[in-house]
Amino acid sequence: MKKRLASFLIFALLFSITLSAQQKPKFGLILHGGAGSIKKGSLTPKQEEDYTKMLNECLQIGYKILEEGKPALDAVEAVINHMEDSPLFNAGKGAVLTSDGVVELDAAVMNGANLAAGAVAGVHHIKNPISLARLVMEKSKHVMLISDGAERFAKENNTPLVDQEYFIIPARLEALKRIKAREEEEKKGKTVTSVSYWEDTKRGTVGVAALDVNGNLAAGTSTGGVMNKKYGRVGDSPIIGAGTYANNKTCAVSATGTGEYFIRLSVTKDISSLMEYKGMSLKDAADEVIMKKLGELGGDGGIIAIDKEGNIAWPFNTDGMFRGYYLQGGQPVVKMYKD
Ligand code: ASP
């Protein structure tokens, strides 16, 4: 009788181990295309369709790379390149404008395997800032290069430079005009309520976090920052530990939202540290920082993250966030509004 019970218990144990091993995805990615006032009705059916199609395309690109056994870093870079090339997002082509009416781009990438990181800030002529950030990580002794220096480094490394005209799209010019007109009205003491999506939101930053078959994590973020920003303003996205972080011991995270608050809270490193030092799960750590700390300080936005086990989290305290994930053995999932 005892023997039978013991063999039943061993069988049950082996069965549950096999089951949980099967359930854990070996690789996968999660991404965002910015958080903000993205509510039902604020996007036209056409915009909804365009974003859904685009986010799905991005998931397929990343998944394919990971499925081929390539590094998480490759997936992060390729997906962000695709988003930077699309005018739908506030990164690369279609980025928001500074108060002087120019595009100033920031990006960062981090390799969770060795904590290597690269970033660029305030660049004006780099078509794909995330690729330049990776180049800084791999081909320089530094972590961050800014503005003209970053562009000099790009030239020395044969990275193609483009004119400002490449980035600027009419919708952003109109939005800047409207924001400036609204500022004038507000100066005169009038309260002006905003109406359209383009006018209201300053968001659209892009970010990806990925886990590869070798258990390596990587994260990247690329952005034009916030609309109407002051010359030289740098947000959280290119700051390691604020908008971007990856560590194989814990998780890979990319943030989007009011950058100044994300910098002050070191949001992405804080999530990783809560996991590392307090043993918190990814979900609990991410909720603690985004749903509690960020809101308490007055910031808004969200993060997307994946941990070494393939668990994911995407808390945000805004109306919506363009987001999606695709994990091995599952189906691609894309969302934009609150559940
Ligand atoms: N976090 C970005 C910044 O502050 C903007 C955004 O994510 O919408 O530059």
Side-chain angles (χ1 to χ4, degrees):
M1 188 64 191
K2 262 187 190 166
K3 251 190 184 173
R4 254 210 239 157
L5 185 68
S7 45
F8 172 75
L9 286 176
I10 290 169
F11 173 76
L13 187 71
L14 287 175
F15 184 72
S16 70
I17 289 172
T18 322
L19 206 69
S20 65
Q22 267 173 2
Q23 280 165 350
K24 270 186 199 161
K26 289 194 178 61
F27 61 86
L29 76 154
I30 183 161
L31 55 81
H32 70 77
S37 43
I38 307 158
K39 320 182 220 198
K40 275 213 172 99
S42 66
L43 298 178
T44 64
K46 169 82 171 67
Q47 282 172 325
E48 239 178 53
E49 196 188 309
D50 288 349
Y51 279 105
T52 307
K53 189 168 163 269
M54 181 66 192
L55 293 171
N56 270 303
E57 251 172 58
C58 291
L59 291 175
Q60 299 292 347
I61 291 172
Y63 193 89
K64 188 164 175 286
I65 292 170
L66 297 170
E67 198 175 32
E68 286 166 1
K70 292 185 180 148
L73 259 182
D74 288 3
V76 166
E77 184 183 3
V79 174
I80 294 184
N81 280 169
H82 195 58
M83 297 174 102
E84 287 172 335
D85 293 346
S86 160
L88 288 177
F89 303 105
N90 170 20
K93 191 176 187 65
V96 298
L97 304 171
T98 66
S99 58
D100 294 336
V102 298
V103 162
E104 258 175 35
L105 305 166
D106 305 332
V109 71
M110 187 159 185
N111 183 355
N114 55 2
L115 304 188
V120 294
V123 293
H124 295 110
H125 303 101
I126 306 299
K127 182 170 170 279
N128 294 110
I130 197 74
S131 297
L132 187 59
R134 185 169 179 180
L135 218 56
V136 170
M137 174 174 85
E138 290 173 348
K139 297 256 157 63
S140 85
K141 282 189 245 153
H142 310 295
V143 168
M144 184 186 272
L145 293 179
I146 63 160
S147 194
D148 294 349
E151 298 197 349
R152 234 169 98 183
F153 176 75
K155 274 188 223 152
E156 283 167 14
N157 284 280
N158 306 317
T159 297
L161 273 74
V162 291
D163 291 336
Q164 273 280 308
E165 289 77 68
Y166 164 78
F167 300 109
I168 301 175
I169 60 167
R172 298 297 194 196
L173 281 169
E174 280 153 32
L176 183 65
K177 235 193 248 167
R178 279 199 298 269
I179 286 171
K180 291 216 178 247
R182 196 163 64 197
E183 270 181 358
E184 285 307 310
E185 294 296 297
E186 276 165 1
K187 266 188 214 154
K188 288 181 207 151
K190 289 186 196 159
T191 326
V192 190
T193 45
S194 51
V195 275
S196 89
Y197 165 69
W198 282 108
E199 184 180 46
D200 212 9
T201 184
K202 304 166 183 80
R203 308 296 161 72
T205 293
V206 305
V208 180
L211 166 72
D212 65 29
V213 283
N214 294 313
N216 289 319
L217 292 168
T221 314
S222 183
T223 188
V226 290
M227 185 61 110
N228 202 24
K229 66 184 180 182
K230 231 187 190 21
Y231 40 79
R233 181 263 186 192
V234 175
D236 59 315
S237 312
I239 297 178
I240 298 304
T244 308
Y245 196 74
N247 184 342
N248 273 10
K249 277 195 199 158
T250 55
C251 59
V253 197
S254 168
T256 176
T258 43
E260 282 70 8
Y261 293 86
F262 283 70
I263 295 173
R264 290 162 63 197
L265 287 171
S266 301
V267 162
T268 55
K269 174 68 167 86
D270 203 24
I271 294 171
S272 170
S273 295
L274 285 174
M275 292 176 74
E276 186 173 358
Y277 304 133
K278 277 198 157 178
M280 282 170 88
S281 70
L282 174 64
K283 189 182 176 306
D284 289 350
D287 280 350
E288 170 78 21
V289 178
I290 298 300
M291 307 312 281
K292 242 182 105 202
K293 287 181 169 184
L294 181 68
E296 278 166 12
L297 196 67
D300 62 80
I303 60 104
I304 50 100
I306 187 164
D307 71 11
K308 55 191 163 72
E309 315 270 296
N311 299 305
I312 52 165
W314 58 16
F316 55 93
N317 67 1
T318 47
D319 291 324
M321 179 164 81
F322 294 114
R323 61 202 190 279
Y325 66 83
Y326 196 179
L327 305 175
Q328 183 239 339
Q331 292 298 317
V333 174
V334 162
K335 293 195 176 184
M336 43 193 91
Y337 308 115
K338 254 187 207 148
D339 279 334

